[in-house]
């Protein structure tokens, strides 16, 4: 995967300039990995955390290791497992992987070969600076390793959902006709700049206009049994690196009345892009055969990553500048203080005055606390719960507004 060509000088978190030792030490890497202890292959029962003490121990271990190795990143530890993204020099990352694979929290995983390690840790280019300005890794013990927001839910049967390797996911996505529902589990600002399309129909995946993952269960409940779903026999879901799908699809499958076969993309878009890169390098696939279009949004200052073959000069982005409407996948932010909405915005427009919507602009300078939602945000929310759609109303409005070179719907980052 290659790092998006985001311009330096953009406000964080959508760009970064390397100022660490990775520069002089032949580069660095970012890892993105997680584990639910009870999913296959499970952590041996002897190690399974029964209280928060083991989670605290694991967090302390990571805190000390990331400090020693000068790694930056975000680590979330819970009794159910861990969710880790760390970055540092290539040498430090190698030592980190060695230490992890020898630790009790990795017991039961088979990570001997280079291939197995690559699939598990999902390395991509970057360095500790992608998490700047944080001075060090943030290690926290949480209730959930990624917040689905359903209290005390734990899957009773992990085998109820099939986790597909990228090649098999590609095969089903290519063949899938009307009976297959392709679903993006990410937030709407992520699925804006990149998404899967069905090979059979050319239709993009359903991309719910949620702004945080904990809205997804409500989205599922409010859309269950809709006419658009009745013909579906199979659901293929995906997310950035697989973690959101892993627990959420079990929850969906265990719901009463859920009759469809639910499958997820193992390792998420990150694993799929790596697989396509390998297939292209081996001459078995062409760039245009990839069913993932655009770029994979990442939660660090790199903004997004794409295929090695993805070249912004040759490849038309799937998204448009929020202000002028030209094809663009560069990320920026609404300039209104306290807004935080992430926008797709071209360099020229960002240098001018990029705002998510006019009402937001008018609110500039108002006290941030208790600030009302701007118009575009409230329109997105009401479409999400009332329209029974997948962001279609938003897309329609966006199209209409782009035509008038007006301001349209935007995206928001919440971590
Ligand atoms: Zn750096
Ligand atoms: Zn523009
Ligand atoms: Zn705004
Ligand atoms: Zn707005």
């Amino acid at each position: 995967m290659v790092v998006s060509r985001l311009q330096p000088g953009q406000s964080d978190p959508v760009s970064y300039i390397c100022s660490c030792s990775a520069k002089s030490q032949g580069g660095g890497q970012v890892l993105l990995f997680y584990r639910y202890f009870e999913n296959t292959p499970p952590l041996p029962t002897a190690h399974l955390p029964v209280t928060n003490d083991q989670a605290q121990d694991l967090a302390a271990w990571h805190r000390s290791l990331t400090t020693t190795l000068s790694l930056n990143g975000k680590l979330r530890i819970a009794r159910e497992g861990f969710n880790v993204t760390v970055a540092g020099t290539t040498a430090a990352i190698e030592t980190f992987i060695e230490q992890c694979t020898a630790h009790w929290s990795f017991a039961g995983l088979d990570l001997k070969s280079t291939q197995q390690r690559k699939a598990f840790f999902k390395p991509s280019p970057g360095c500790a600076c992608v998490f700047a300005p944080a001075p060090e890794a943030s290690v926290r013990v949480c209730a959930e390793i990624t917040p689905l927001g359903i209290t005390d839910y734990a899957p009773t049967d992990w085998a109820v959902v099939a986790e597909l390797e990228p090649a098999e996911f590609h095969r089903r996505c290519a063949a899938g006709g009307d009976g297959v529902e392709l679903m993006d589990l990410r937030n709407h600002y992520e699925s804006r700049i990149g998404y899967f399309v069905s090979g059979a129909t050319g239709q993009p995946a359903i991309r719910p206009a949620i702004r945080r993952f904990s809205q997804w269960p409500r989205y599922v409940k409010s859309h269950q049994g809709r006419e658009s779903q009745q013909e579906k026999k199979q659901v293929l879901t995906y997310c950035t690196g697989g973690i959101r799908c892993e627990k959420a699809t079990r929850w969906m499958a265990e719901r009463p009345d859920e009759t469809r076969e639910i499958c997820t993309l193992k390792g998420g878009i990150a694993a799929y892009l790596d697989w396509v890169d390998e297939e292209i390098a081996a001459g078995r696939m062409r760039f245009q055969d990839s069913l993932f279009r655009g770029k994979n949004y990442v939660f660090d200052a790199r903004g997004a990553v794409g295929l090695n073959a993805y070249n912004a000069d040759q490849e038309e982005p799937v998204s448009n500048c929020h202000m002028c409407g030209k094809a663009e996948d560069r990320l920026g932010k609404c300039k209104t203080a306290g807004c935080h909405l992430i926008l797709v915005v071209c360099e020229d427009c960002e240098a001018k005055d990029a705002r998510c919507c006019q009402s937001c602009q008018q609110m500039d300078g108002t006290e941030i606390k208790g600030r009302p939602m701007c118009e575009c945000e409230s329109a997105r929310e009401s479409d999400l719960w009332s329209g029974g759609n997948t962001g279609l109303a938003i897309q329609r409005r966006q199209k209409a507004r782009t035509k008038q070179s007006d301001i349209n719907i935007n995206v928001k980052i919440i971590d």
Side-chain angles (χ1 to χ4, degrees), residues 21-83:
S21 55
K23 231 179 190 173
S24 56
Q25 291 179 23
Q29 286 189 316
V30 183
L31 303 180
L32 177 70
F33 64 94
Y34 70 91
R35 181 182 194 185
Y36 280 104
F37 291 140
E38 293 197 355
N39 199 3
T40 313
L43 184 73
T45 326
H47 293 301
L48 218 51
V50 281
T51 66
N52 261 351
D53 290 353
Q54 288 96 331
Q56 294 289 1
D57 286 351
L58 180 55
W61 182 79
H62 273 298
R63 228 170 262 132
S64 135
L65 189 57
T66 50
T67 307
T68 310
L69 296 172
S70 303
L71 301 178
N72 206 338
K74 215 170 161 181
L75 300 89
R76 297 296 174 254
I77 320 278
R79 275 161 65 180
E80 66 181 1
F82 53 78
N83 178 15

Side-chain angles (χ1 to χ4, degrees), residues 321 323-326 345-346 349:
C321 172
M323 307 300 291
C324 71
K326 83 168 192 197
V345 61
C346 75
C349 290

Side-chain angles (χ1 to χ4, degrees), residues 59 103 105 121 129 155 251 316 320 402:
H103 192 259
S105 57
F121 290 102
C129 307
W251 171 82
E316 181 90 333
N320 301 86
T402 304

Side-chain angles (χ1 to χ4, degrees), residues 225-245:
R226 295 266 166 113
E227 207 182 318
S228 58
Q229 281 188 356
Q230 286 169 3
E231 306 290 295
K232 309 292 183 206
K233 294 186 171 56
Q234 190 181 65
V235 191
L236 299 178
T237 79
Y238 65 89
C239 61
T240 315
I243 187 170
R244 282 178 271 190
C245 289

